[in-house]
Amino acid sequence: MINERVIYLPLGGAGEVGMNAYVYGYGKPGKEKLILVDLGVAFPDMDTSPGVDLILPDISWLEARKADLEAVFVTHAHEDHVGAVAHYYGRLGAPVYTRAFTANIARRKMAEHGHPEKAVKVVSPWPKMTQAGPFKVGFVPISHSIPESSALVIDTPKGRLLHSGDFKIDTDPGVGEPFDHALFEDIAKDGVLALMCDSTNVFSAHEGRSEATVGPEIEKLVASAKGMVAATTFASNVARVLTLAEAGARAGRSVCLMGRAMRRMVEASVETGVLKKFPPTVSPEEAKTLPRESVMLIVTGSQGERRAASAQLANGKYQGIKLKEGDTFLFSSKTIPGNERGVIRIINQFSELGVDVVDDTSGRYHVSGHANRPDIEMMHDLIKPQMVVPMHGEHRHLREHVKICNAKGIRGVLAVNGMLMDLTAQTPVVAEHVETGRTYLDGSVQVGALDGVVRDRIRMALNGHVAVNIILDEDDESLGDPWCEIKGLAETGSSGAPLLDVLEEDLSQFIGRSARKLRADDDKLEDELRRITRQSALGEIGKKPEVTVIISRMS
Amino acid sequence: MINERVIYLPLGGAGEVGMNAYVYGYGKPGKEKLILVDLGVAFPDMDTSPGVDLILPDISWLEARKADLEAVFVTHAHEDHVGAVAHYYGRLGAPVYTRAFTANIARRKMAEHGHPEKAVKVVSPWPKMTQAGPFKVGFVPISHSIPESSALVIDTPKGRLLHSGDFKIDTDPGVGEPFDHALFEDIAKDGVLALMCDSTNVFSAHEGRSEATVGPEIEKLVASAKGMVAATTFASNVARVLTLAEAGARAGRSVCLMGRAMRRMVEASVETGVLKKFPPTVSPEEAKTLPRESVMLIVTGSQGERRAASAQLANGKYQGIKLKEGDTFLFSSKTIPGNERGVIRIINQFSELGVDVVDDTSGRYHVSGHANRPDIEMMHDLIKPQMVVPMHGEHRHLREHVKICNAKGIRGVLAVNGMLMDLTAQTPVVAEHVETGRTYLDGSVQVGALDGVVRDRIRMALNGHVAVNIILDEDDESLGDPWCEIKGLAETGSSGAPLLDVLEEDLSQFIGRSARKLRADDDKLEDELRRITRQSALGEIGKKPEVTVIISRMS
């Protein structure tokens, strides 16, 4: 007899930071009823995904089993947890459960995609639970860097699971519920089968710092500043936005929010009652009429994003406001690895304007939203699970987290994207390897990361492009010479002659000496013209370009 | 009467880290005799310079005055100081002076470019000086992270200049001469007109650490490691390479150097007598026959470079050697901003192989080669110049350095690339703005950074490419329908039909309703076909591709 089992399958987030999507299932093998926890996006970069708009997890496996999918639960409103919900609602169809603030953000996304807002259902926090097939799921408030983050209690017929979501241990988080040790102990008192645990900051050796430590430092900085002050942080870090605004207000400055995300997040926080008070704000139009020393801007773009407010201000002027000598710009944020170049570019632009930039080198103006190693260990100790399954992290994070568990005598299970784990097996094992991957949102279309579309773009970026054109008559004779158009290649090479002339000459000579049989065969002719073009370019400019061959036949 | 003046003109390195090239001149305005200090390269990245091989400073200004150029002096053998010497020897023609180790490296480059090795002249260090027109130049040994780095004393008829080159203050650098406080005091005792001073680490608040502090830590790590140990650092950091090799040897391990640069640097150090002793090494072929715990690899690729030894090992196997569970990989290096993604990719690959990666998060296994803020200030205090001109740094570094000077009552002069400064004016002023910039080595060809070549490649990477083809007869009638080839674009869009069909249909309809006058005009027809293609693609896939239009006319 085959027994019911509890399965865990990360489709994203386990082996990378971002794009979280974790499947849980209960039932007989292959017949499990499923729920999905989080459905986030990752962000593209020029090195690996130029021109891509968003990176989504590949949900083919889940879509094939959509009849078994009971619900999607979203732990919090960060893009890497909620960003793909609206993109995939049409394909999965399952209702989305989350708390009010996250629902507010998710519904805006649903509306943008023309999906019904009521597909997103607002749940009350623990001890309320939501039934979804064989599962009962409860949202346990937990501190992080966005309002209403939750750990999920997932009760199955074979025991309780705890999915930490992103978290830190902060008993004074400013906005939202403080971390409640007693609550988590209580939840775990009857035993927890598995703790799925955030791993992002596992390499940070020191206990995490409370959001409350940042306020006094920011206040000092703003109070001592002479000219205009502008500060950036993640818009979703509502506690920080409030801290910045209050520091401005206390220093007698009018607060001005710049950037769409900044206004939207504050709006959502007020609408959902997360923010009970916020200093009065002025519009950019008003701000620019005020004395510089009476203005505090709070702006988007802490990661150097090209179109965000910080980059626009660094470029010169944004919404009529121009920073200058004597002003201060504060990064109340950490630069995410990979974003350094963009952030440094902005800092240098501000330097050219004479603006003093303060970043987080000192550690005073920012704290992380994730549990550091001692905090992760405290979570293990509170929950005392039968096993810990590290999640949300690159391979190095998950592996380190497993090592920490093993060193403490807790069973640590390394499961990366695509590993379908049977959590109820004697020893947890990979029951199946599921094909997972990344899907690119590219303009309005989704393309597979391995479809070759983006690979071709990268090749054109590295090698340039030549279009080769030839017209043949019905006797396979060339009508005129082949000719070329180049893009992204030097116009002149080592011979001193135009590259185009060199390519066309080499192609003409080739056609002149080619056999009719070759010219009659589109595929072979194309291959040869490509080969000659690449070889000719290599000799002339030292590069092998991408080549598009267009053969026209007159008949 | 117009007087002789001393001028300073950075062509690279002032406003960026990398690509150093500083012109000094003496004479009547516009008639100055010139010397050049350093001629380095910068490295491309996918964001701004995809496919580019190297970035060189634009030396047009200098080339136009090559008759006045007496010599090139190279402070040390880092690529950002010596890398462009061979590329530009043909255009500048001036002799290159440097110390033996740097000359060894420079001559290899000259040979690769087919230039005479004797164009590089070896000079003895201070107190020897080299006459170059009105200048006398002396190489003063100074500690840095490569052998035989030198500050330059540049004596002019109007006073002494001191060009620090890259430096740190290290009285126990392992390889090469220790920093000699008394020597610098002595050099400055009769007054220094201007100190051109390294600014790279101006934001590091603590005193720099000696290379000597790294050895014991590395030794401990290697001694306690169980399996194979591999370590990476900059090959040119010969002191570090020696430290690593000695740690390996002391732990009873055979040392194996992997990567071309690693072997070349050790070779150059031995040839020039910089390295008097180096533990015996084994080849990779030998290494793989030895027990794992008896091997210490020292490999290239500390910055995550895709083709270097570290990346190859992370990929699986390199020269027959495969790292695995229980082995240790040490980054005895810092990740240069912008290279994080590449380094992290390697760490995760090693994690997947079960290899324990140790990086410099702890600060134990690496020290910087540049002077931190207190060290920079010590240099000011030793030299007591009439003015400090910060160099080698981004704008933010130079500005901070000037601020430090001004706070101490020293005149700080902010001069970025292209600012020709008259150092003998009453107050140092920008006498002229010279056009400077970047030249890309792209394959075997040099292209201007602003020529549009690389811009077109970036656009193809972001937007994809469509080649549009149409053939017209002598009456300007289309022979058949226009057709397209796509590269880097989704094959199917929102309509569900192939993108090619949609584009070709829209183009056909356009041609069908177009006026003959338009079809007769190549430029207008091309513009319209491009416009229709972009619009059609935007509707279908949400992207506006780059378009190459090829119009063929039968006559």
Side-chain angles (χ1 to χ4, degrees):
Chain A
M1 194 195 85
I2 296 162
N3 287 328
E4 282 83 5
R5 60 181 188 176
V6 176
I7 60 169
Y8 164 77
L9 167 63
L11 295 176
E16 68 207 331
V17 172
M19 209 177 84
N20 292 276
Y22 306 92
V23 175
Y24 292 89
Y26 179 80
K28 290 190 190 291
K31 312 272 186 208
E32 297 89 352
K33 291 292 174 186
L34 308 172
I35 59 171
L36 176 65
V37 174
D38 290 341
L39 191 47
V41 297
F43 294 98
D45 59 61
M46 189 72 184
D47 289 86
T48 60
S49 43
V52 168
D53 294 282
L54 273 180
I55 303 173
L56 313 171
D58 178 353
I59 56 155
S60 315
W61 184 90
L62 195 60
E63 192 179 12
R65 290 189 57 177
K66 64 188 271 192
D68 296 320
L69 181 64
E70 304 282 352
V72 178
F73 295 89
V74 180
T75 59
H76 65 285
H78 277 148
E79 288 296 320
D80 56 337
H81 296 260
V82 75
V85 163
H87 291 284
Y88 282 149
Y89 179 73
R91 282 170 62 188
L92 294 177
V96 176
Y97 294 90
T98 191
R99 292 176 66 194
F101 175 81
T102 312
N104 185 297
I105 302 294
R107 283 175 174 169
R108 290 165 194 244
K109 291 177 185 293
M110 287 293 210
E112 281 168 19
H113 283 74
H115 298 314
E117 296 195 3
K118 68 177 182 350
V120 179
K121 296 174 196 309
V122 175
V123 297
S124 299
W126 181 264
K128 276 281 285 184
M129 295 190 86
T130 302
Q131 187 86 40
F135 298 99
K136 281 181 74 177
V137 179
F139 283 74
V140 188
I142 198 164
S143 41
H144 183 42
S145 49
I146 188 169
E148 294 192 346
S149 283
S150 303
L152 300 184
V153 167
I154 303 173
D155 280 343
T156 79
K158 300 227 170 166
R160 175 164 285 186
L161 309 174
L162 187 72
H163 182 102
S164 77
D166 289 358
F167 78 101
K168 67 183 290 190
I169 292 183
D170 191 343
T171 54
D172 191 3
V175 170
E177 301 97 340
F179 188 89
D180 185 345
H181 294 75
L183 178 59
F184 280 94
E185 257 171 352
D186 186 61
I187 283 168
K189 71 173 187 299
D190 294 328
V192 167
L193 176 61
L195 166 66
M196 322 295 155
C197 190
D198 181 9
S199 310
T200 317
N201 276 11
V202 71
F203 288 109
S204 300
H206 303 290
E207 224 172 81
R209 284 163 49 213
S210 168
E211 183 66 29
T213 62
V214 175
E217 296 292 341
I218 291 178
E219 241 175 77
K220 257 187 277 177
L221 181 76
V222 176
S224 69
K226 304 256 179 305
M228 196 178 286
V229 175
T232 185
T233 191
F234 274 114
S236 59
N237 193 337
V238 175
R240 185 69 50 77
V241 174
L242 177 62
T243 299
L244 291 167
E246 285 180 340
R250 289 208 188 111
R253 292 170 181 267
S254 296
V255 173
C256 173
L257 303 176
M258 297 180 94
R260 204 166 68 102
M262 198 54 79
R263 290 190 304 274
R264 196 176 51 203
M265 278 291 166
V266 170
E267 205 176 283
S269 305
V270 170
E271 279 175 23
T272 55
V274 162
L275 263 184
K276 307 256 186 288
K277 53 176 174 119
F278 196 83
T281 60
V282 298
S283 68
E285 293 69 39
E286 278 175 85
K288 77 178 167 195
T289 67
L290 298 170
R292 311 189 76 70
E293 64 279 9
S294 307
V295 175
M296 167 93 179
L297 311 175
I298 304 177
V299 310
T300 53
S302 67
Q303 299 304 310
E305 303 92 327
R306 272 180 193 275
R307 276 170 292 191
S310 65
Q312 307 260 20
L313 285 168
N315 268 333
K317 206 174 196 175
Y318 185 53
Q319 299 186 340
I321 295 182
K322 210 170 149 50
L323 296 185
K324 62 175 199 183
E325 183 88 37
D327 293 341
T328 302
F329 191 94
L330 169 66
F331 283 89
S332 181
S333 56
K334 188 197 130 192
T335 304
I336 294 174
N339 295 341
E340 290 79 3
R341 277 197 204 107
V343 170
I344 289 174
R345 187 181 53 238
I346 287 178
I347 295 177
N348 280 313
Q349 287 176 303
F350 279 133
S351 179
E352 286 173 33
L353 296 173
V355 175
D356 291 320
V357 175
V358 179
D359 66 15
D360 188 47
T361 316
S362 68
R364 284 203 290 261
Y365 307 112
H366 178 65
V367 293
S368 171
H370 291 274
N372 289 355
R373 179 180 167 150
D375 313 312
I376 290 172
E377 295 204 44
M378 178 179 282
M379 192 60 148
H380 300 162
D381 299 344
L382 282 173
I383 304 302
K384 297 187 181 65
Q386 290 175 42
M387 73 189 96
V388 171
V389 187
M391 58 163 194
H392 205 195
E394 299 164 9
H395 196 281
R396 62 191 174 120
H397 299 110
L398 306 185
R399 181 164 176 264
E400 181 74 9
H401 195 159
V402 166
K403 278 194 192 175
I404 290 170
C405 293
N406 294 344
K408 293 166 74 179
I410 306 169
R411 171 174 283 157
V413 178
L414 183 65
V416 298
N417 294 342
M419 288 187 180
L420 190 157
M421 309 297 298
D422 178 355
L423 300 180
T424 36
Q426 200 68 10
T427 315
V429 286
V430 182
E432 197 184 323
H433 282 280
V434 167
E435 205 166 306
T436 57
R438 306 184 142 208
T439 298
Y440 294 148
L441 178 68
D442 191 46
S444 54
V445 178
Q446 288 179 22
V447 299
L450 303 177
D451 286 2
V453 169
V454 171
R455 182 200 60 205
D456 280 351
R457 295 214 290 259
I458 292 173
R459 287 182 179 167
M460 288 191 286
L462 296 175
N463 307 324
H465 182 262
V466 180
V468 176
N469 197 38
I470 185 169
I471 305 178
L472 301 163
D473 66 16
E474 51 231 338
D475 300 321
D476 304 317
E477 293 297 328
S478 175
L479 288 170
D481 289 324
W483 72 103
C484 301
E485 301 273 349
I486 60 173
K487 229 189 225 326
L489 292 168
E491 285 184 9
T492 316
S494 51
S495 73
L499 173 62
L500 275 180
D501 293 357
V502 174
L503 297 177
E504 289 170 358
E505 176 62 27
D506 286 352
L507 289 165
S508 283
Q509 285 189 13
F510 165 75
I511 289 295
R513 65 178 185 261
S514 65
R516 177 167 181 183
K517 201 176 145 201
L518 173 78
R519 294 196 306 272
D521 183 328
D522 273 3
D523 289 345
K524 284 205 182 121
L525 179 59
E526 183 177 331
D527 285 350
E528 284 302 295
L529 292 174
R530 176 173 292 112
R531 190 181 61 75
I532 301 285
T533 304
R534 288 166 64 92
Q535 194 179 302
S536 175
L538 184 65
E540 188 64 12
I541 59 166
K543 288 184 90 84
K544 278 182 159 176
E546 301 307 297
V547 180
T548 298
V549 177
I550 299 171
I551 300 169
S552 313
R553 293 187 184 275
M554 299 284 108
S555 51
Chain B
M1 196 195 86
I2 297 160
N3 286 329
E4 282 83 6
R5 62 183 187 176
V6 176
I7 60 170
Y8 164 78
L9 167 64
L11 294 176
E16 68 208 330
V17 172
M19 209 177 83
N20 293 277
Y22 305 92
V23 175
Y24 291 90
Y26 178 79
K28 290 190 190 291
K31 313 272 184 204
E32 296 90 352
K33 291 292 172 185
L34 309 172
I35 60 171
L36 177 65
V37 174
D38 289 342
L39 191 47
V41 297
F43 295 98
D45 59 63
M46 189 70 184
D47 290 87
T48 60
S49 42
V52 168
D53 294 280
L54 274 181
I55 303 173
L56 312 171
D58 178 351
I59 53 154
S60 315
W61 183 90
L62 196 59
E63 192 179 11
R65 289 189 58 177
K66 64 188 270 193
D68 295 320
L69 181 64
E70 304 282 351
V72 178
F73 294 89
V74 180
T75 59
H76 64 286
H78 277 147
E79 288 295 320
D80 58 336
H81 295 261
V82 74
V85 163
H87 292 284
Y88 281 150
Y89 179 73
R91 282 171 61 190
L92 294 177
V96 176
Y97 293 90
T98 190
R99 292 176 68 195
F101 176 80
T102 312
N104 185 298
I105 302 294
R107 283 176 174 167
R108 289 165 195 245
K109 291 177 186 291
M110 287 294 211
E112 281 169 20
H113 283 74
H115 297 314
E117 297 196 2
K118 68 177 182 350
V120 179
K121 297 173 195 312
V122 176
V123 296
S124 300
W126 181 265
K128 276 280 286 183
M129 296 189 86
T130 302
Q131 187 86 40
F135 298 99
K136 281 181 75 177
V137 179
F139 284 74
V140 188
I142 198 164
S143 42
H144 184 41
S145 49
I146 188 169
E148 294 193 346
S149 283
S150 303
L152 300 184
V153 167
I154 304 173
D155 280 342
T156 78
K158 299 223 171 169
R160 175 165 284 187
L161 309 174
L162 187 73
H163 183 101
S164 77
D166 289 359
F167 77 102
K168 67 183 290 190
I169 293 183
D170 191 342
T171 54
D172 191 3
V175 171
E177 301 97 339
F179 188 87
D180 185 345
H181 294 74
L183 177 59
F184 280 95
E185 257 172 353
D186 185 61
I187 282 168
K189 71 174 188 297
D190 295 329
V192 167
L193 177 60
L195 166 65
M196 321 295 155
C197 189
D198 182 9
S199 309
T200 316
N201 275 11
V202 70
F203 287 108
S204 300
H206 304 289
E207 224 171 80
R209 283 163 50 213
S210 168
E211 183 67 30
T213 62
V214 175
E217 296 292 340
I218 291 178
E219 241 175 76
K220 259 187 277 178
L221 181 77
V222 176
S224 69
K226 303 259 179 303
M228 197 177 289
V229 176
T232 184
T233 191
F234 274 113
S236 58
N237 193 337
V238 175
R240 186 69 51 76
V241 174
L242 178 62
T243 298
L244 291 166
E246 285 180 339
R250 289 209 186 113
R253 292 170 180 267
S254 296
V255 173
C256 172
L257 303 177
M258 296 181 93
R260 203 166 67 102
M262 198 55 80
R263 290 190 305 275
R264 196 177 49 202
M265 277 291 167
V266 171
E267 207 177 284
S269 305
V270 171
E271 281 175 21
T272 55
V274 162
L275 264 184
K276 308 255 184 287
K277 52 177 175 120
F278 195 84
T281 60
V282 298
S283 69
E285 293 70 40
E286 280 176 83
K288 77 178 166 195
T289 67
L290 298 172
R292 311 190 74 69
E293 64 278 10
S294 305
V295 175
M296 167 94 181
L297 311 176
I298 305 177
V299 309
T300 53
S302 67
Q303 299 304 309
E305 302 92 327
R306 272 181 193 275
R307 277 170 290 188
S310 66
Q312 307 261 22
L313 285 168
N315 267 334
K317 205 176 199 172
Y318 184 52
Q319 299 187 340
I321 296 183
K322 211 170 146 53
L323 296 186
K324 63 174 199 182
E325 185 89 37
D327 294 341
T328 303
F329 191 94
L330 169 65
F331 283 89
S332 182
S333 54
K334 188 198 131 190
T335 304
I336 294 173
N339 295 341
E340 289 80 3
R341 278 198 203 107
V343 170
I344 290 174
R345 186 180 55 238
I346 287 178
I347 295 177
N348 280 312
Q349 287 176 302
F350 280 132
S351 180
E352 287 173 32
L353 296 173
V355 175
D356 290 322
V357 175
V358 179
D359 65 15
D360 187 49
T361 315
S362 67
R364 284 203 288 262
Y365 306 112
H366 178 65
V367 292
S368 171
H370 291 273
N372 289 355
R373 180 180 166 149
D375 313 312
I376 290 172
E377 294 204 44
M378 179 180 283
M379 192 59 146
H380 300 161
D381 299 344
L382 283 172
I383 304 302
K384 299 188 180 65
Q386 290 175 42
M387 72 188 94
V388 171
V389 186
M391 59 162 193
H392 205 195
E394 298 164 8
H395 196 282
R396 60 189 175 123
H397 299 110
L398 305 185
R399 182 163 175 264
E400 182 74 9
H401 195 159
V402 165
K403 277 193 193 174
I404 291 169
C405 292
N406 292 343
K408 293 166 73 179
I410 305 170
R411 172 175 284 157
V413 178
L414 183 65
V416 299
N417 295 342
M419 288 187 181
L420 189 157
M421 308 298 295
D422 178 355
L423 301 180
T424 34
Q426 199 68 12
T427 315
V429 287
V430 182
E432 196 183 325
H433 282 281
V434 167
E435 207 167 306
T436 57
R438 306 184 142 209
T439 298
Y440 293 147
L441 179 69
D442 191 45
S444 54
V445 177
Q446 288 179 22
V447 299
L450 303 177
D451 286 3
V453 169
V454 171
R455 183 200 59 207
D456 280 351
R457 295 214 292 259
I458 292 173
R459 286 183 179 165
M460 288 191 286
L462 296 174
N463 308 323
H465 183 262
V466 180
V468 176
N469 196 38
I470 185 169
I471 304 178
L472 300 165
D473 67 15
E474 51 232 339
D475 299 323
D476 304 317
E477 293 297 329
S478 175
L479 288 171
D481 288 325
W483 73 101
C484 302
E485 301 274 350
I486 59 174
K487 226 185 228 326
L489 292 168
E491 285 184 8
T492 317
S494 51
S495 72
L499 174 61
L500 274 179
D501 294 357
V502 174
L503 296 178
E504 288 171 358
E505 175 63 26
D506 285 353
L507 288 165
S508 284
Q509 285 190 14
F510 166 75
I511 289 295
R513 66 178 185 262
S514 64
R516 176 168 181 185
K517 201 176 141 201
L518 174 77
R519 295 197 304 274
D521 181 328
D522 274 4
D523 289 345
K524 283 202 183 125
L525 180 59
E526 181 178 332
D527 284 351
E528 284 301 295
L529 292 174
R530 175 173 293 115
R531 190 180 62 76
I532 301 284
T533 305
R534 288 167 63 92
Q535 193 179 302
S536 175
L538 184 66
E540 189 63 12
I541 59 166
K543 289 183 89 82
K544 279 182 159 174
E546 302 305 298
V547 180
T548 298
V549 177
I550 299 172
I551 300 169
S552 312
R553 293 187 183 274
M554 299 284 109
S555 50

